[in-house]
Amino acid sequence: MTTTEWITDIALILVVFRQLREGRLDLRTFLIPLGIVAFVAHAYLDSVPTGGNDLVLVGVLMGAGAVLGVAGGVYTRVRAAGEHILIKAGAVSAVLWVLGMGARMGFQLWTEHGGGDDVARFSIAHHITSDQAWVAAFVLMALTEVVTRLATIFVRSRMLTAGQPAAASDRVAVRP
């Protein structure tokens, strides 16, 4: 693994630790993880192979990313505090995040240190045409996990604020 790969993988894992402390839901909450996965996608996602069972592999890992992302968003505490929305990743959310983001890093380390032959045999047996299929699948898994987790948190925050009365400055005076 290159230094850049280590940094991006560790940064993605550490994103959730920032949320173990309760903090305000703001634009940074969305932009930091999206920026990191956008960088990873740009750097490593040259194409999405479509031969053999490549799309099945991509779909399965994206599905896993979606499940991890939605579950992580559900297990993130979202609450109103005055005019602000606060979020805090719980233990389950943190474990799911590390599991999803760590899977990519663990797989890469495993393939580089003895698991490559096993992956090659699996790929041949299951008609996965290239290593780029694995790269695309894991990058898209990470992207899907990030997007679905953030979307779940966003929807939950909007549901929370939908039931709150408007602030005094937002009310329109109606005169009879």
Side-chain angles (χ1 to χ4, degrees), residues 5-132:
E5 290 168 336
W6 276 104
I7 291 169
T8 54
D9 287 345
I10 291 169
L12 278 169
I13 291 171
L14 292 177
V15 163
V16 78
F17 291 109
R18 188 176 142 254
Q19 294 175 0
L20 288 175
R21 241 187 38 227
E22 188 172 56
R24 246 174 73 182
L25 180 65
D26 57 16
L27 196 55
R28 277 188 327 199
T29 306
F30 298 99
L31 292 181
I32 291 172
L34 287 173
I36 294 169
V37 293
F39 170 78
V40 170
H42 175 72
Y44 300 104
L45 192 60
D46 298 324
S47 65
V48 178
T50 58
N53 286 327
D54 294 353
L55 288 179
V56 173
L57 174 67
V58 170
V60 166
L61 289 184
M62 285 180 71
V67 168
L68 289 169
V70 169
V74 167
Y75 284 102
T76 297
R77 188 172 92 184
V78 180
R79 70 179 186 93
E83 295 181 9
H84 303 290
I85 301 295
L86 301 177
I87 64 168
K88 180 181 180 185
V92 172
S93 181
V95 167
L96 292 171
W97 183 264
V98 171
L99 178 69
M101 295 301 140
R104 181 180 164 276
M105 188 165 83
F107 182 81
Q108 188 169 2
L109 285 170
W110 176 62
T111 58
E112 290 177 358
H113 298 285
D117 291 340
D118 293 328
V119 173
R121 281 190 294 278
F122 180 90
S123 296
I124 290 167
H126 293 90
H127 308 290
I128 297 168
T129 62
S130 70
D131 60 342
Q132 184 58 34

